[in-house]
Amino acid sequence: MSITFKHLLGIKNLKKEDINLIFKTADNFKEIINRPIRKVPSLRDVTIANLFFENSTRTRLSFELAEKRLSADIINFSASSSSLKKGETLIDTVKNILAMKVDMIVMRHPDPGASTFLSRYIDVPIINAGDGAHEHPTQALLDAYSIREKYGKLQGRKVVIIGDILHSRVALSNIFCLKMLGVNVKVCGPLTLMPKYIELLGVSYEPDLNKALEWCDVANVLRVQIERQDTSFLPSIKEYSNMYGLTKERLNSISKNITVMHPGPINRGVELTSDVADSKQSIILDQVENGVAIRMSVLYLLANNIQNKNV
Ligand code: CP
């Protein structure tokens, strides 16, 4: 079996069968990375360029580790130390990197659509590692995979995504992914941080956090993305935190034991308190662990596609 896409630009263009294959392959890699010898030769002689035009901790390190576990050759690029500073365009930069015989690109960029734009000009597969407020497909895949791991299956589960939906690539990719897999999704947060036509994506808006928590099995809490806001969307962070921050008190006041997720980076004391982030209900570090297996799976399946075409 193989995936039906050449580039992983977003979840929107995937098929359910693609996601199921990514999960099945990730199951195998998860077992492998928990063995004493965690490295496999699957991507030997495949060269991958990690192009990060925007800051990242988890995604960059997770891709790099996934590539190393698969025995790929890696080059790392960060915009701050590159010739972009001297006026070189994105396409010229990438074409020069590809001239060094690179087989695949992983790219994070602050501009929505940057990886889609680039995919029209180059021939090798691109994985979007987050493009502005647009999509973050591997984050959504690892989030859905982590819910599947926790509950056994996704169909019929209830997930509420809380916070800054308007500026969040994680929210959009999660909505596409979870909806495709049969999950009921609500969004919750201040109306100023909701896209105007969010319900067209098949999700409903719940302004009251307590009601949203009472409804859900899983709360996926997002960071308020102050750096993407060109005007003030909130009276103050303190007020946001009072109305939408996840506290132990709030969790204890609902009638069931829900699961708490967060894509990171966390702002402790803003969108959730430390006693929630570090509680038994939190699967935040499981998400990070699963990220490596999911990224190994995506890299492996995309590389297999190239190899099958070259036979
Ligand atoms: N979740 C996520 O994308 O984190 P980073 O920005 O640290 O990569």
Side-chain angles (χ1 to χ4, degrees), residues 8 11 16 43 126 133 149 155 158 172 174 177 180 199 248 257 272:
L8 181 57
I11 299 290
K16 191 172 171 180
L43 293 199
I126 304 178
E149 184 177 67
Q155 180 77 37
K158 295 176 184 168
L172 189 61
N174 259 269
C177 189
M180 206 182 305
E199 281 163 359
K248 199 75 183 153
N257 201 21
L272 80 178

Side-chain angles (χ1 to χ4, degrees), residues 159-160 162 213 216-221 246 258-262:
V159 175
V160 62
I162 302 166
L213 294 176
C216 74
D217 302 309
V218 177
N220 194 356
V221 187
L246 209 52
I258 65 166
T259 299
V260 177
M261 300 175 71
H262 194 305

Side-chain angles (χ1 to χ4, degrees), residues 52 54-60 108 129 136 139 169-170 263-265 295:
F52 278 75
E54 189 191 76
N55 295 342
S56 168
T57 301
R58 279 145 292 271
T59 311
R60 186 171 59 81
R108 168 167 289 193
H136 192 350
Q139 180 69 47
R169 55 194 173 210
V170 174
R295 290 176 176 120

Side-chain angles (χ1 to χ4, degrees), residues 205-221:
Y205 170 57
E206 172 53 72
D208 183 326
L209 179 59
N210 291 334
K211 281 189 190 161
L213 294 176
E214 198 62 65
W215 171 83
C216 74
D217 302 309
V218 177
N220 194 356
V221 187

Side-chain angles (χ1 to χ4, degrees), residues 22 56 64 102 106 113 141 144 188 217 272 274 289 291 302 306:
I22 292 168
S56 168
E64 196 173 327
V102 164
V106 174
L141 290 167
C188 176
D217 302 309
L272 80 178
S274 282
E289 179 184 343
L302 281 172
I306 317 173

